[in-house]
Amino acid sequence: MIRNLLKIGLLLIVAILVYNRFFGTTEEQKQAKGIFKSVGNVFVEVGQLVSAEKDKFDAGKYDGVLDKLGGAYRAIREQAENVDGKIIKRLDELERRKAALQTELDSIESIDQQIQSAPAAPKKGIKADPKAEQNQAAKTADQQRRKAELQRQLEQLIKDSDALIKQAQEE
């Protein structure tokens, strides 16, 4: 219900802007033109942000963090005889979360490779398949969502790991 109202509201705003751009007074035309230019700039900025984040991801931004966490977990486990049983249980849980994140990272990288190896745009004179373009855009958007969620989970895992390390050092 709310989604439909938002869609209708957005469609109404776009319709008003288009009407003002072509049939409005001079002032309304300038205003609509400025709004379209601003929206275009927002899309350009978002595109640059996504591209920069993709480059960081491709450069292995997350691989190093997961490796460092693994090293910290091994160090804690080596000191296991001096550590409370609760800490060992928390360590096991953190290692399971790390393994799940590693699996998710591998999956994301695999799908990224599939997207990159997908056929490029059709040659000149051949119409592009709109459904294929929509599927490609949907896959790319889903990948960005998955990367953002992976980063959020990784940051939480790091916080939880820091807390565990501090607790292990105190005991």
Side-chain angles (χ1 to χ4, degrees):
M1 175 74 177
I2 293 175
R3 177 183 253 171
N4 289 334
L5 289 175
L6 289 174
K7 285 180 184 178
I8 291 170
L10 183 61
L11 185 61
L12 184 61
I13 290 170
V14 170
I16 290 170
L17 285 172
V18 170
Y19 178 83
N20 285 347
R21 175 71 176 103
F22 295 107
F23 303 111
T25 64
T26 305
E27 183 180 317
E28 291 172 338
Q29 288 178 350
K30 285 181 183 179
Q31 184 182 27
K33 186 176 182 181
I35 290 172
F36 282 125
K37 192 176 283 188
S38 297
V39 169
N41 290 339
V42 168
F43 283 119
V44 168
E45 292 294 324
V46 168
Q48 290 173 347
L49 173 69
V50 167
S51 176
E53 194 59 34
K54 182 188 178 304
D55 291 343
K56 289 178 188 176
F57 187 83
D58 290 343
K61 173 181 177 182
Y62 303 107
D63 292 335
V65 173
L66 291 173
D67 291 340
K68 288 178 185 178
L69 283 175
Y73 296 160
R74 281 189 293 281
I76 291 173
R77 197 164 294 282
E78 287 173 2
Q79 300 295 325
E81 63 269 358
N82 302 331
V83 179
D84 184 15
K86 291 179 183 179
I87 292 177
I88 297 299
K89 287 180 182 178
R90 284 189 58 204
L91 180 61
D92 290 340
E93 187 263 330
L94 290 175
E95 285 179 329
R96 281 192 297 276
R97 286 173 49 194
K98 177 190 162 289
L101 288 178
Q102 184 65 53
T103 302
E104 179 69 10
L105 176 63
D106 294 342
S107 171
I108 290 171
E109 288 175 346
S110 172
I111 292 173
D112 272 349
Q113 289 176 353
Q114 290 174 1
I115 290 173
Q116 289 176 357
S117 66
K123 295 185 180 185
K124 196 173 184 178
I126 301 175
K127 288 188 175 183
D129 181 16
K131 286 188 179 186
E133 289 178 356
Q134 285 178 340
N135 287 340
Q136 187 75 8
K139 282 182 182 178
T140 302
D142 185 52
Q143 283 293 94
Q144 293 306 321
R145 182 196 54 76
R146 288 177 68 195
K147 288 175 184 178
E149 178 63 19
L150 177 71
Q151 184 171 359
R152 187 193 64 71
Q153 289 178 359
L154 184 59
E155 289 169 357
Q156 185 61 46
L157 181 63
I158 290 169
K159 287 178 186 176
D160 294 346
S161 297
D162 285 344
L164 179 67
I165 290 170
K166 286 178 184 175
Q167 183 181 2
Q169 288 175 344
E170 290 173 359
E171 292 188 11

